[in-house]
Amino acid sequence: MPAIKITPLGAGQDVGRSCILVSMGGRHIMLDCGMHMSAGDQKKFPDFDFISSRGVGVDEYLDVVLISHFHLDHCGALPHLTEVIGYNGPIFMTHPTKAICPLLLEDFRKVAVERKGDTTMFTSAQIQTCMSKVTPLGLYQCVTVGDIFIKVYYAGHVLGAAMFYVRVGNESIVYTGDYNMTPDRHLGSAWIDRCRPDVFITESTYATTIRDSKRIREREFLKKVHTAVARGGKVLIPVFALGRAQELCILLDTYWERMGLTAPIFFSAGLTEKATNYYKLFITWMNEKIQKTFVERNMFEYKNIRTFERSLADNPGPMVVFAAPGMLHAGLSLQLFKKWAPDPKNMVIMPGFCVQGTVGNKILNGAKKLEFFNPKETIEVKLDIEYLSFSAHADAKGIMQLTRMCAPRHVLLVHGEGNKMGFLQKKVEKEYGVPCLYPANGETAVVPTPDVRNTLLERNLISVVPSWFRISSRIFDGLIVIADDKIRIMSEQQTAETLSIRLHRFFFTETRSFTSTCPPAVFRKHIIKQLQSLFGAFAAIKDDDLGHSEPIPPQRPHVLVEILPQACSIQTPDEPVATFPYQVCVSWEEGVVEDEVVYRFVDSLHVVKAGGLESSSVLLHHEEEGELTGSISDDGSGGGSDDNYNISDAEQEYGCLLPLKKRSAGQFAEGDLDCLDDVR
């Protein structure tokens, strides 16, 4: 039985599973390639030995690598994979992620090599070579690598963060990376189609947490900062360079301006300028409000926030400093923490999740004394420690919401703590009735998938669709119905009966009036020949006035040509050759044939040869005027309903209909697209 195999390769014990190997349809996809931020030596990298143990090289084994966003726990090991391990295959990430990744990788490399003496870290040249191998993707862009289909979705979280839908043959997964279901001051919320994948691989950082109101959190944050500054203390806010930093800067900058506060606010040197440039460049990734006000005022050009210099750390008096990185494991944020921790007037506000083993995680768990070994020192922790979750991860409610939106057959939890994932597993299985797994690092989860092959599909279609129906070019032949993990192929009629709904059939009409020298018998013969060559068994002709009619069963989809009773010759002194007036009505059912083919057929009607010569013809009337007229029928006859419809160009494109009594043709012409919002 076919199956999808998923193996987390991430470093660390519980958290940091930001490297996931997926095998399906004979293909191998790596989802993210991150490092564990607090681990040393080779432990910070994923377990790439898992791939080498397969007995082939990494290039022969891996088909594609997908990077969800620029945080180092999701992309930090990518240069190691490409330049040290030797992977040279396709790598995809979004445009903002490709632009920002090398900056963060280089900053981290400098800290690791120049300050900690790490000898296992990649070089600056390797970072540049690695990024040159990356192919950037746009939002909602689709790409194929052989038989692997990939689509990009918006994840919120940070600038450029993406979720990926991946399909190989009949098997599919969705990988979320990190995402946020709550829109904030500069980014929107994550969104995905109801794509029903076999496996939904979701982060579970906040597997047991339901955050309170965003407005309450913002008010509490401003109150704590103001209180500390008022008593003369220094406030340290550890943040990552891009992401929550911009969100909190907008919030604090606006509050300072409104309250008239004068205590200085600082941001790590260089990061403000970089952030402003990237948010200008990728403004289309921002929320609607930011985009609308961007021309008048760039919200990322702060009025009360300045660049921080290290010499300012010992200045007397209050100040607020945003410093990277966000978990107090290295860099400026850790240096300032060591300097300010012994003073009880000071405060550190942790605005996001901290990985186990980091200084941030230790102080949040109540540590009052910390030991450091490079250089060796002991720090007394006396400052106020506050935790306010401004993390851009989805909470438990958001995870359940995106799971419901995606409607998967199986759920797999990653990027979380084991005991908390166990709680969320039970909640998913109870509420949605689908299996849920959370494999440990190095453990392979095997998810069985339905055996849906083309031969099975074709065999079932033949059994449910009449033979006369299958010979058409009709797009819609049947439905694949999935229920109770079983797949059935059902016809339209069977589905309608099962769901107790009525089938509607749409018929459209084109009418032409003209005169021709072609006599009725020749004209009719010409039409029959054209109908049979274009529409085959779906053609029917009605011309009672000419003494002949070929009825077609009303349940069949068809193209009907009706010659109205005007076929009598006209001869005038100015026109010595007899001419015949014709009014021809062509009706067809939507979806049976291509509309363009019908239009070409209608246009050819008045050009008919009589006696070997092309007849003279005059187009007298054409009932089109920008839209078609049509009817909708419940009984399959094509004319049993009084609900007439106008169908505008916009409606044909977007697939919606408005009753004629609700819209006039003039209104359609003035606002085709406006009507779509009303319908939806």
Side-chain angles (χ1 to χ4, degrees), residues 146-179:
D147 57 354
I148 303 173
F149 173 84
I150 302 163
K151 184 174 181 179
V152 181
Y153 287 95
Y154 189 80
H157 188 60
V158 294
L159 177 64
M163 301 186 290
F164 296 103
Y165 171 80
V166 185
R167 187 182 69 243
V168 180
N170 296 317
E171 299 176 335
S172 63
I173 64 163
V174 165
Y175 174 63
T176 67
D178 292 348
Y179 63 99

PDB file of all heavy atoms in Angstrom, residues 146-179:
ATOM      1  N   GLY A 146      10.348  18.095 -12.020  1.00  0.00           N
ATOM      2  CA  GLY A 146       9.996  16.759 -12.482  1.00  0.00           C
ATOM      3  C   GLY A 146       8.506  16.539 -12.272  1.00  0.00           C
ATOM      4  O   GLY A 146       7.676  17.287 -12.786  1.00  0.00           O
ATOM      5  N   ASP A 147       8.157  15.511 -11.496  1.00  0.00           N
ATOM      6  CA  ASP A 147       6.746  15.266 -11.215  1.00  0.00           C
ATOM      7  C   ASP A 147       6.329  15.784  -9.840  1.00  0.00           C
ATOM      8  O   ASP A 147       5.275  15.423  -9.330  1.00  0.00           O
ATOM      9  CB  ASP A 147       6.436  13.769 -11.324  1.00  0.00           C
ATOM     10  CG  ASP A 147       7.310  12.927 -10.403  1.00  0.00           C
ATOM     11  OD1 ASP A 147       8.228  13.487  -9.774  1.00  0.00           O
ATOM     12  OD2 ASP A 147       7.079  11.704 -10.315  1.00  0.00           O
ATOM     13  N   ILE A 148       7.163  16.648  -9.243  1.00  0.00           N
ATOM     14  CA  ILE A 148       6.837  17.266  -7.952  1.00  0.00           C
ATOM     15  C   ILE A 148       6.182  18.620  -8.217  1.00  0.00           C
ATOM     16  O   ILE A 148       6.780  19.497  -8.862  1.00  0.00           O
ATOM     17  CB  ILE A 148       8.089  17.459  -7.082  1.00  0.00           C
ATOM     18  CG1 ILE A 148       8.811  16.131  -6.858  1.00  0.00           C
ATOM     19  CG2 ILE A 148       7.728  18.086  -5.736  1.00  0.00           C
ATOM     20  CD1 ILE A 148      10.153  16.267  -6.155  1.00  0.00           C
ATOM     21  N   PHE A 149       4.968  18.799  -7.723  1.00  0.00           N
ATOM     22  CA  PHE A 149       4.236  20.064  -7.871  1.00  0.00           C
ATOM     23  C   PHE A 149       4.285  20.821  -6.546  1.00  0.00           C
ATOM     24  O   PHE A 149       4.016  20.255  -5.487  1.00  0.00           O
ATOM     25  CB  PHE A 149       2.790  19.797  -8.272  1.00  0.00           C
ATOM     26  CG  PHE A 149       1.920  21.031  -8.275  1.00  0.00           C
ATOM     27  CD1 PHE A 149       1.891  21.876  -9.369  1.00  0.00           C
ATOM     28  CD2 PHE A 149       1.139  21.359  -7.164  1.00  0.00           C
ATOM     29  CE1 PHE A 149       1.098  23.020  -9.369  1.00  0.00           C
ATOM     30  CE2 PHE A 149       0.344  22.493  -7.155  1.00  0.00           C
ATOM     31  CZ  PHE A 149       0.327  23.328  -8.269  1.00  0.00           C
ATOM     32  N   ILE A 150       4.614  22.121  -6.599  1.00  0.00           N
ATOM     33  CA  ILE A 150       4.766  22.939  -5.390  1.00  0.00           C
ATOM     34  C   ILE A 150       3.977  24.232  -5.557  1.00  0.00           C
ATOM     35  O   ILE A 150       4.038  24.872  -6.613  1.00  0.00           O
ATOM     36  CB  ILE A 150       6.247  23.279  -5.137  1.00  0.00           C
ATOM     37  CG1 ILE A 150       7.081  21.997  -5.006  1.00  0.00           C
ATOM     38  CG2 ILE A 150       6.408  24.141  -3.885  1.00  0.00           C
ATOM     39  CD1 ILE A 150       8.571  22.223  -5.154  1.00  0.00           C
ATOM     40  N   LYS A 151       3.225  24.619  -4.525  1.00  0.00           N
ATOM     41  CA  LYS A 151       2.522  25.897  -4.525  1.00  0.00           C
ATOM     42  C   LYS A 151       2.810  26.645  -3.220  1.00  0.00           C
ATOM     43  O   LYS A 151       2.860  26.030  -2.150  1.00  0.00           O
ATOM     44  CB  LYS A 151       1.010  25.700  -4.684  1.00  0.00           C
ATOM     45  CG  LYS A 151       0.239  27.021  -4.789  1.00  0.00           C
ATOM     46  CD  LYS A 151      -1.235  26.813  -5.081  1.00  0.00           C
ATOM     47  CE  LYS A 151      -1.954  28.153  -5.211  1.00  0.00           C
ATOM     48  NZ  LYS A 151      -3.393  27.999  -5.520  1.00  0.00           N
ATOM     49  N   VAL A 152       2.974  27.958  -3.322  1.00  0.00           N
ATOM     50  CA  VAL A 152       3.355  28.800  -2.179  1.00  0.00           C
ATOM     51  C   VAL A 152       2.128  29.493  -1.610  1.00  0.00           C
ATOM     52  O   VAL A 152       1.311  30.046  -2.358  1.00  0.00           O
ATOM     53  CB  VAL A 152       4.389  29.864  -2.620  1.00  0.00           C
ATOM     54  CG1 VAL A 152       4.818  30.728  -1.445  1.00  0.00           C
ATOM     55  CG2 VAL A 152       5.593  29.200  -3.268  1.00  0.00           C
ATOM     56  N   TYR A 153       1.998  29.494  -0.270  1.00  0.00           N
ATOM     57  CA  TYR A 153       0.902  30.174   0.417  1.00  0.00           C
ATOM     58  C   TYR A 153       1.445  31.140   1.473  1.00  0.00           C
ATOM     59  O   TYR A 153       2.549  30.956   1.984  1.00  0.00           O
ATOM     60  CB  TYR A 153      -0.031  29.155   1.088  1.00  0.00           C
ATOM     61  CG  TYR A 153      -0.897  28.384   0.134  1.00  0.00           C
ATOM     62  CD1 TYR A 153      -0.512  27.130  -0.327  1.00  0.00           C
ATOM     63  CD2 TYR A 153      -2.104  28.904  -0.326  1.00  0.00           C
ATOM     64  CE1 TYR A 153      -1.308  26.411  -1.211  1.00  0.00           C
ATOM     65  CE2 TYR A 153      -2.901  28.197  -1.213  1.00  0.00           C
ATOM     66  CZ  TYR A 153      -2.502  26.959  -1.647  1.00  0.00           C
ATOM     67  OH  TYR A 153      -3.290  26.267  -2.529  1.00  0.00           O
ATOM     68  N   TYR A 154       0.635  32.137   1.802  1.00  0.00           N
ATOM     69  CA  TYR A 154       1.021  33.174   2.762  1.00  0.00           C
ATOM     70  C   TYR A 154       0.926  32.643   4.188  1.00  0.00           C
ATOM     71  O   TYR A 154      -0.081  32.054   4.580  1.00  0.00           O
ATOM     72  CB  TYR A 154       0.091  34.375   2.596  1.00  0.00           C
ATOM     73  CG  TYR A 154       0.491  35.608   3.381  1.00  0.00           C
ATOM     74  CD1 TYR A 154       1.488  36.452   2.911  1.00  0.00           C
ATOM     75  CD2 TYR A 154      -0.131  35.935   4.581  1.00  0.00           C
ATOM     76  CE1 TYR A 154       1.851  37.591   3.607  1.00  0.00           C
ATOM     77  CE2 TYR A 154       0.223  37.070   5.290  1.00  0.00           C
ATOM     78  CZ  TYR A 154       1.214  37.895   4.797  1.00  0.00           C
ATOM     79  OH  TYR A 154       1.575  39.018   5.504  1.00  0.00           O
ATOM     80  N   ALA A 155       1.992  32.866   4.983  1.00  0.00           N
ATOM     81  CA  ALA A 155       2.045  32.316   6.334  1.00  0.00           C
ATOM     82  C   ALA A 155       2.002  33.372   7.430  1.00  0.00           C
ATOM     83  O   ALA A 155       1.911  33.019   8.612  1.00  0.00           O
ATOM     84  CB  ALA A 155       3.314  31.471   6.497  1.00  0.00           C
ATOM     85  N   GLY A 156       2.051  34.688   7.082  1.00  0.00           N
ATOM     86  CA  GLY A 156       2.148  35.687   8.144  1.00  0.00           C
ATOM     87  C   GLY A 156       3.513  35.566   8.798  1.00  0.00           C
ATOM     88  O   GLY A 156       4.544  35.538   8.127  1.00  0.00           O
ATOM     89  N   HIS A 157       3.545  35.481  10.128  1.00  0.00           N
ATOM     90  CA  HIS A 157       4.745  35.222  10.934  1.00  0.00           C
ATOM     91  C   HIS A 157       5.793  36.318  10.764  1.00  0.00           C
ATOM     92  O   HIS A 157       5.936  37.163  11.651  1.00  0.00           O
ATOM     93  CB  HIS A 157       5.320  33.851  10.605  1.00  0.00           C
ATOM     94  CG  HIS A 157       6.438  33.437  11.510  1.00  0.00           C
ATOM     95  ND1 HIS A 157       6.262  33.308  12.866  1.00  0.00           N
ATOM     96  CD2 HIS A 157       7.752  33.138  11.269  1.00  0.00           C
ATOM     97  CE1 HIS A 157       7.403  32.942  13.425  1.00  0.00           C
ATOM     98  NE2 HIS A 157       8.326  32.833  12.462  1.00  0.00           N
ATOM     99  N   VAL A 158       6.554  36.299   9.691  1.00  0.00           N
ATOM    100  CA  VAL A 158       7.535  37.348   9.399  1.00  0.00           C
ATOM    101  C   VAL A 158       7.466  37.658   7.913  1.00  0.00           C
ATOM    102  O   VAL A 158       6.832  36.940   7.137  1.00  0.00           O
ATOM    103  CB  VAL A 158       8.975  36.915   9.782  1.00  0.00           C
ATOM    104  CG1 VAL A 158       9.124  36.751  11.278  1.00  0.00           C
ATOM    105  CG2 VAL A 158       9.380  35.646   9.046  1.00  0.00           C
ATOM    106  N   LEU A 159       8.144  38.719   7.520  1.00  0.00           N
ATOM    107  CA  LEU A 159       8.175  39.125   6.120  1.00  0.00           C
ATOM    108  C   LEU A 159       8.660  37.977   5.236  1.00  0.00           C
ATOM    109  O   LEU A 159       9.749  37.437   5.437  1.00  0.00           O
ATOM    110  CB  LEU A 159       9.100  40.337   5.965  1.00  0.00           C
ATOM    111  CG  LEU A 159       9.320  40.865   4.544  1.00  0.00           C
ATOM    112  CD1 LEU A 159       8.017  41.387   3.963  1.00  0.00           C
ATOM    113  CD2 LEU A 159      10.384  41.958   4.547  1.00  0.00           C
ATOM    114  N   GLY A 160       7.844  37.579   4.265  1.00  0.00           N
ATOM    115  CA  GLY A 160       8.234  36.552   3.305  1.00  0.00           C
ATOM    116  C   GLY A 160       7.982  35.125   3.737  1.00  0.00           C
ATOM    117  O   GLY A 160       8.275  34.196   2.978  1.00  0.00           O
ATOM    118  N   ALA A 161       7.440  34.916   4.942  1.00  0.00           N
ATOM    119  CA  ALA A 161       7.207  33.543   5.406  1.00  0.00           C
ATOM    120  C   ALA A 161       6.166  32.858   4.528  1.00  0.00           C
ATOM    121  O   ALA A 161       5.165  33.460   4.141  1.00  0.00           O
ATOM    122  CB  ALA A 161       6.750  33.539   6.861  1.00  0.00           C
ATOM    123  N   ALA A 162       6.398  31.569   4.238  1.00  0.00           N
ATOM    124  CA  ALA A 162       5.534  30.844   3.303  1.00  0.00           C
ATOM    125  C   ALA A 162       5.186  29.463   3.839  1.00  0.00           C
ATOM    126  O   ALA A 162       5.937  28.860   4.609  1.00  0.00           O
ATOM    127  CB  ALA A 162       6.218  30.699   1.945  1.00  0.00           C
ATOM    128  N   MET A 163       4.029  28.978   3.421  1.00  0.00           N
ATOM    129  CA  MET A 163       3.653  27.579   3.580  1.00  0.00           C
ATOM    130  C   MET A 163       3.705  26.937   2.198  1.00  0.00           C
ATOM    131  O   MET A 163       3.538  27.625   1.192  1.00  0.00           O
ATOM    132  CB  MET A 163       2.237  27.463   4.165  1.00  0.00           C
ATOM    133  CG  MET A 163       2.076  28.125   5.519  1.00  0.00           C
ATOM    134  SD  MET A 163       0.458  27.841   6.278  1.00  0.00           S
ATOM    135  CE  MET A 163      -0.596  28.835   5.209  1.00  0.00           C
ATOM    136  N   PHE A 164       3.918  25.625   2.162  1.00  0.00           N
ATOM    137  CA  PHE A 164       4.064  24.931   0.883  1.00  0.00           C
ATOM    138  C   PHE A 164       3.077  23.773   0.774  1.00  0.00           C
ATOM    139  O   PHE A 164       2.954  22.962   1.703  1.00  0.00           O
ATOM    140  CB  PHE A 164       5.483  24.377   0.714  1.00  0.00           C
ATOM    141  CG  PHE A 164       6.547  25.432   0.644  1.00  0.00           C
ATOM    142  CD1 PHE A 164       7.351  25.693   1.743  1.00  0.00           C
ATOM    143  CD2 PHE A 164       6.749  26.166  -0.512  1.00  0.00           C
ATOM    144  CE1 PHE A 164       8.333  26.660   1.700  1.00  0.00           C
ATOM    145  CE2 PHE A 164       7.726  27.143  -0.578  1.00  0.00           C
ATOM    146  CZ  PHE A 164       8.526  27.394   0.532  1.00  0.00           C
ATOM    147  N   TYR A 165       2.395  23.722  -0.363  1.00  0.00           N
ATOM    148  CA  TYR A 165       1.620  22.543  -0.759  1.00  0.00           C
ATOM    149  C   TYR A 165       2.475  21.771  -1.753  1.00  0.00           C
ATOM    150  O   TYR A 165       2.945  22.331  -2.752  1.00  0.00           O
ATOM    151  CB  TYR A 165       0.294  22.958  -1.399  1.00  0.00           C
ATOM    152  CG  TYR A 165      -0.472  21.811  -2.043  1.00  0.00           C
ATOM    153  CD1 TYR A 165      -1.229  20.935  -1.278  1.00  0.00           C
ATOM    154  CD2 TYR A 165      -0.430  21.615  -3.420  1.00  0.00           C
ATOM    155  CE1 TYR A 165      -1.928  19.882  -1.861  1.00  0.00           C
ATOM    156  CE2 TYR A 165      -1.128  20.580  -4.024  1.00  0.00           C
ATOM    157  CZ  TYR A 165      -1.876  19.713  -3.234  1.00  0.00           C
ATOM    158  OH  TYR A 165      -2.561  18.674  -3.813  1.00  0.00           O
ATOM    159  N   VAL A 166       2.699  20.488  -1.483  1.00  0.00           N
ATOM    160  CA  VAL A 166       3.559  19.662  -2.337  1.00  0.00           C
ATOM    161  C   VAL A 166       2.786  18.407  -2.734  1.00  0.00           C
ATOM    162  O   VAL A 166       2.207  17.729  -1.873  1.00  0.00           O
ATOM    163  CB  VAL A 166       4.859  19.266  -1.616  1.00  0.00           C
ATOM    164  CG1 VAL A 166       5.778  18.506  -2.565  1.00  0.00           C
ATOM    165  CG2 VAL A 166       5.568  20.489  -1.057  1.00  0.00           C
ATOM    166  N   ARG A 167       2.781  18.109  -4.029  1.00  0.00           N
ATOM    167  CA  ARG A 167       2.083  16.924  -4.525  1.00  0.00           C
ATOM    168  C   ARG A 167       2.989  16.136  -5.472  1.00  0.00           C
ATOM    169  O   ARG A 167       3.650  16.712  -6.341  1.00  0.00           O
ATOM    170  CB  ARG A 167       0.806  17.318  -5.262  1.00  0.00           C
ATOM    171  CG  ARG A 167      -0.055  16.112  -5.665  1.00  0.00           C
ATOM    172  CD  ARG A 167      -1.300  16.529  -6.446  1.00  0.00           C
ATOM    173  NE  ARG A 167      -0.992  17.038  -7.757  1.00  0.00           N
ATOM    174  CZ  ARG A 167      -1.237  18.277  -8.171  1.00  0.00           C
ATOM    175  NH1 ARG A 167      -1.819  19.140  -7.367  1.00  0.00           N
ATOM    176  NH2 ARG A 167      -0.926  18.659  -9.400  1.00  0.00           N
ATOM    177  N   VAL A 168       3.002  14.825  -5.268  1.00  0.00           N
ATOM    178  CA  VAL A 168       3.686  13.915  -6.181  1.00  0.00           C
ATOM    179  C   VAL A 168       2.681  12.831  -6.555  1.00  0.00           C
ATOM    180  O   VAL A 168       2.268  12.037  -5.702  1.00  0.00           O
ATOM    181  CB  VAL A 168       4.933  13.277  -5.538  1.00  0.00           C
ATOM    182  CG1 VAL A 168       5.612  12.349  -6.534  1.00  0.00           C
ATOM    183  CG2 VAL A 168       5.904  14.346  -5.058  1.00  0.00           C
ATOM    184  N   GLY A 169       2.261  12.806  -7.806  1.00  0.00           N
ATOM    185  CA  GLY A 169       1.242  11.850  -8.226  1.00  0.00           C
ATOM    186  C   GLY A 169      -0.046  12.077  -7.465  1.00  0.00           C
ATOM    187  O   GLY A 169      -0.603  13.172  -7.471  1.00  0.00           O
ATOM    188  N   ASN A 170      -0.535  11.042  -6.783  1.00  0.00           N
ATOM    189  CA  ASN A 170      -1.783  11.157  -6.021  1.00  0.00           C
ATOM    190  C   ASN A 170      -1.559  11.476  -4.550  1.00  0.00           C
ATOM    191  O   ASN A 170      -2.520  11.548  -3.785  1.00  0.00           O
ATOM    192  CB  ASN A 170      -2.567   9.833  -6.124  1.00  0.00           C
ATOM    193  CG  ASN A 170      -2.996   9.538  -7.547  1.00  0.00           C
ATOM    194  OD1 ASN A 170      -3.455  10.425  -8.263  1.00  0.00           O
ATOM    195  ND2 ASN A 170      -2.818   8.299  -7.972  1.00  0.00           N
ATOM    196  N   GLU A 171      -0.315  11.668  -4.143  1.00  0.00           N
ATOM    197  CA  GLU A 171       0.012  11.927  -2.743  1.00  0.00           C
ATOM    198  C   GLU A 171       0.384  13.388  -2.547  1.00  0.00           C
ATOM    199  O   GLU A 171       1.051  13.991  -3.398  1.00  0.00           O
ATOM    200  CB  GLU A 171       1.156  11.020  -2.289  1.00  0.00           C
ATOM    201  CG  GLU A 171       0.815   9.540  -2.378  1.00  0.00           C
ATOM    202  CD  GLU A 171       1.972   8.639  -2.023  1.00  0.00           C
ATOM    203  OE1 GLU A 171       3.138   9.086  -2.164  1.00  0.00           O
ATOM    204  OE2 GLU A 171       1.726   7.495  -1.601  1.00  0.00           O
ATOM    205  N   SER A 172      -0.037  13.963  -1.416  1.00  0.00           N
ATOM    206  CA  SER A 172       0.207  15.388  -1.194  1.00  0.00           C
ATOM    207  C   SER A 172       0.398  15.691   0.286  1.00  0.00           C
ATOM    208  O   SER A 172      -0.101  14.975   1.161  1.00  0.00           O
ATOM    209  CB  SER A 172      -0.963  16.216  -1.740  1.00  0.00           C
ATOM    210  OG  SER A 172      -2.161  15.899  -1.046  1.00  0.00           O
ATOM    211  N   ILE A 173       1.139  16.770   0.551  1.00  0.00           N
ATOM    212  CA  ILE A 173       1.331  17.262   1.912  1.00  0.00           C
ATOM    213  C   ILE A 173       1.186  18.779   1.915  1.00  0.00           C
ATOM    214  O   ILE A 173       1.282  19.430   0.868  1.00  0.00           O
ATOM    215  CB  ILE A 173       2.719  16.894   2.479  1.00  0.00           C
ATOM    216  CG1 ILE A 173       3.810  17.596   1.652  1.00  0.00           C
ATOM    217  CG2 ILE A 173       2.938  15.403   2.536  1.00  0.00           C
ATOM    218  CD1 ILE A 173       5.146  17.649   2.332  1.00  0.00           C
ATOM    219  N   VAL A 174       0.956  19.344   3.093  1.00  0.00           N
ATOM    220  CA  VAL A 174       1.088  20.780   3.323  1.00  0.00           C
ATOM    221  C   VAL A 174       2.070  20.960   4.469  1.00  0.00           C
ATOM    222  O   VAL A 174       1.942  20.312   5.516  1.00  0.00           O
ATOM    223  CB  VAL A 174      -0.262  21.433   3.674  1.00  0.00           C
ATOM    224  CG1 VAL A 174      -0.055  22.826   4.266  1.00  0.00           C
ATOM    225  CG2 VAL A 174      -1.143  21.530   2.443  1.00  0.00           C
ATOM    226  N   TYR A 175       3.073  21.796   4.263  1.00  0.00           N
ATOM    227  CA  TYR A 175       4.040  22.123   5.314  1.00  0.00           C
ATOM    228  C   TYR A 175       3.879  23.588   5.674  1.00  0.00           C
ATOM    229  O   TYR A 175       3.972  24.463   4.810  1.00  0.00           O
ATOM    230  CB  TYR A 175       5.462  21.842   4.841  1.00  0.00           C
ATOM    231  CG  TYR A 175       6.517  22.290   5.829  1.00  0.00           C
ATOM    232  CD1 TYR A 175       6.586  21.720   7.099  1.00  0.00           C
ATOM    233  CD2 TYR A 175       7.436  23.282   5.501  1.00  0.00           C
ATOM    234  CE1 TYR A 175       7.548  22.132   8.017  1.00  0.00           C
ATOM    235  CE2 TYR A 175       8.407  23.687   6.403  1.00  0.00           C
ATOM    236  CZ  TYR A 175       8.453  23.113   7.661  1.00  0.00           C
ATOM    237  OH  TYR A 175       9.400  23.530   8.565  1.00  0.00           O
ATOM    238  N   THR A 176       3.651  23.870   6.954  1.00  0.00           N
ATOM    239  CA  THR A 176       3.329  25.248   7.358  1.00  0.00           C
ATOM    240  C   THR A 176       4.548  26.093   7.654  1.00  0.00           C
ATOM    241  O   THR A 176       4.484  27.315   7.548  1.00  0.00           O
ATOM    242  CB  THR A 176       2.450  25.245   8.618  1.00  0.00           C
ATOM    243  OG1 THR A 176       3.211  24.745   9.728  1.00  0.00           O
ATOM    244  CG2 THR A 176       1.197  24.412   8.423  1.00  0.00           C
ATOM    245  N   GLY A 177       5.704  25.466   8.022  1.00  0.00           N
ATOM    246  CA  GLY A 177       6.765  26.269   8.610  1.00  0.00           C
ATOM    247  C   GLY A 177       6.195  26.930   9.858  1.00  0.00           C
ATOM    248  O   GLY A 177       5.354  26.364  10.557  1.00  0.00           O
ATOM    249  N   ASP A 178       6.629  28.150  10.162  1.00  0.00           N
ATOM    250  CA  ASP A 178       6.027  28.927  11.244  1.00  0.00           C
ATOM    251  C   ASP A 178       4.961  29.841  10.651  1.00  0.00           C
ATOM    252  O   ASP A 178       5.169  30.433   9.585  1.00  0.00           O
ATOM    253  CB  ASP A 178       7.084  29.776  11.962  1.00  0.00           C
ATOM    254  CG  ASP A 178       8.072  28.919  12.738  1.00  0.00           C
ATOM    255  OD1 ASP A 178       7.797  27.718  12.904  1.00  0.00           O
ATOM    256  OD2 ASP A 178       9.120  29.443  13.159  1.00  0.00           O
ATOM    257  N   TYR A 179       3.838  29.994  11.327  1.00  0.00           N
ATOM    258  CA  TYR A 179       2.756  30.822  10.793  1.00  0.00           C
ATOM    259  C   TYR A 179       1.981  31.482  11.923  1.00  0.00           C
ATOM    260  O   TYR A 179       2.113  31.109  13.095  1.00  0.00           O
ATOM    261  CB  TYR A 179       1.812  29.989   9.925  1.00  0.00           C
ATOM    262  CG  TYR A 179       1.077  28.874  10.654  1.00  0.00           C
ATOM    263  CD1 TYR A 179      -0.231  29.045  11.092  1.00  0.00           C
ATOM    264  CD2 TYR A 179       1.687  27.649  10.897  1.00  0.00           C
ATOM    265  CE1 TYR A 179      -0.915  28.020  11.751  1.00  0.00           C
ATOM    266  CE2 TYR A 179       1.016  26.628  11.543  1.00  0.00           C
ATOM    267  CZ  TYR A 179      -0.280  26.815  11.969  1.00  0.00           C
ATOM    268  OH  TYR A 179      -0.951  25.814  12.623  1.00  0.00           O
TER     269      TYR A 179
END
